[in-house]
Amino acid sequence: RQPGRGVRVLDRWRIGVEPAVRHHRLTVNAQQRRAATSATAMAAFLAGMGALHFVRPEPFDGIIPAALPGSPRAYTCGSGVAELGTAALLAVPATRRLGGRIATVLFVAVFPGNVEMAWQWRHRPWQQQIVSLGRLPLQALLIEQSEHIHDHA
């Protein structure tokens, strides 16, 4: 048995593992920072859109699918309230994780309105069609970000 052999093995183990542990901590911190930044941006976006539902409700009324019962204005106001509430949850660090999950549910819930808008705009000029069709994959990105916020807030 060689003196100090156990220490060398332990040192080799520590040298090999410590950078991985440090990297993991840095990765976790980076993910938390990204989640905080995304939550702030998403809160601002949702607050603006939620307010717009009340300032100019007509465009939102027009994309409520006709198959839904009740008045389109009720859905417009309801989604405006949901967006404002979700923005508030995302803005506060203590409720950010819940806000991320609620945002996911909200983005899934309003997706039929985006599909309806794309359908209604199918005969408009191509520039407007691109806007209406571009909203569909944007929902997937918003859902991915809201889930990231939920997972890392």
Side-chain angles (χ1 to χ4, degrees), residues 63-85:
I63 63 169
I64 302 298
L68 292 175
S71 82
R73 183 60 53 94
Y75 288 99
T76 297
C77 292
S79 62
V81 167
E83 288 179 4
L84 290 170

Side-chain angles (χ1 to χ4, degrees), residues 8-153:
R8 281 192 216 127
V9 170
L10 181 60
D11 284 344
R12 274 191 235 132
W13 178 81
R14 192 178 308 143
I15 289 168
V17 171
E18 274 187 27
V21 170
R22 260 183 284 153
H23 173 72
H24 175 71
R25 281 192 212 123
L26 290 173
T27 303
V28 169
N29 289 340
Q31 289 175 339
Q32 289 170 338
R33 282 192 305 275
R34 177 179 160 218
T37 302
S38 295
T40 302
M42 190 175 288
F45 170 74
L46 287 171
M49 291 306 292
L52 197 56
H53 278 67
F54 296 100
V55 174
R56 291 208 47 227
E58 297 82 12
F60 299 101
D61 292 345
I63 63 169
I64 302 298
L68 292 175
S71 82
R73 183 60 53 94
Y75 288 99
T76 297
C77 292
S79 62
V81 167
E83 288 179 4
L84 290 170
T86 303
L89 289 171
L90 290 168
V92 178
T95 58
R96 193 164 281 159
R97 181 174 159 77
L98 174 62
R101 183 50 49 90
I102 299 290
T104 298
V105 172
L106 176 66
F107 295 138
V108 169
V110 300
F111 188 74
N114 292 336
V115 172
E116 181 68 20
M117 180 181 173
W119 177 255
Q120 289 176 1
W121 288 24
R122 70 189 182 281
H123 299 299
R124 290 194 178 188
W126 67 270
Q127 298 92 337
Q128 292 178 340
Q129 289 182 35
I130 288 174
V131 169
S132 70
L133 291 171
R135 291 174 57 144
L136 301 177
L138 176 63
Q139 288 301 110
L141 293 174
L142 290 170
I143 289 168
E144 188 275 326
Q145 283 302 307
S146 62
E147 282 300 295
H148 181 82
I149 292 165
H150 174 263
D151 292 342
H152 299 288

